Amino acid sequence: MKKILLGFIRFYQNYISAMKGGATCKYFPTCSQYAVEAIEKYGALKGGLLAAWRILRCNPFSKGGYDPVP
């Protein structure tokens, strides 16, 4: 499951995100890189939940900034 999730994220990073052009993320690392790091560190379930929580926090009212994987 871990490899499948990482494969989807890598596909998104290489093809879909690249087509968006100059759009930047307000967080560092980006949400997709955060998801990769979380899944690699904690596994598919907990890492996936951390990534989902990060994506939910990414909205116009958030400050952004440096937010590493715990």
Side-chain angles (χ1 to χ4, degrees):
M1 188 66 174
K2 182 177 173 179
K3 288 183 180 184
I4 293 170
L5 289 175
L6 291 174
F8 282 132
I9 295 168
R10 296 286 185 209
F11 177 82
Y12 168 80
Q13 287 177 327
N14 292 327
Y15 298 104
I16 298 171
S17 181
M19 291 190 310
K20 292 193 314 186
T24 59
C25 185
K26 61 173 52 179
Y27 283 107
F28 179 79
T30 63
C31 292
S32 59
Q33 185 59 37
Y34 182 94
V36 168
E37 292 174 16
I39 292 169
E40 286 177 344
K41 185 173 183 179
Y42 293 109
L45 183 61
K46 185 175 180 182
L49 290 173
L50 284 169
W53 178 244
R54 167 71 176 269
I55 291 169
L56 289 173
R57 290 183 300 166
C58 189
N59 60 61
F61 305 108
S62 68
K63 294 180 184 178
Y66 181 63
D67 183 27
V69 175

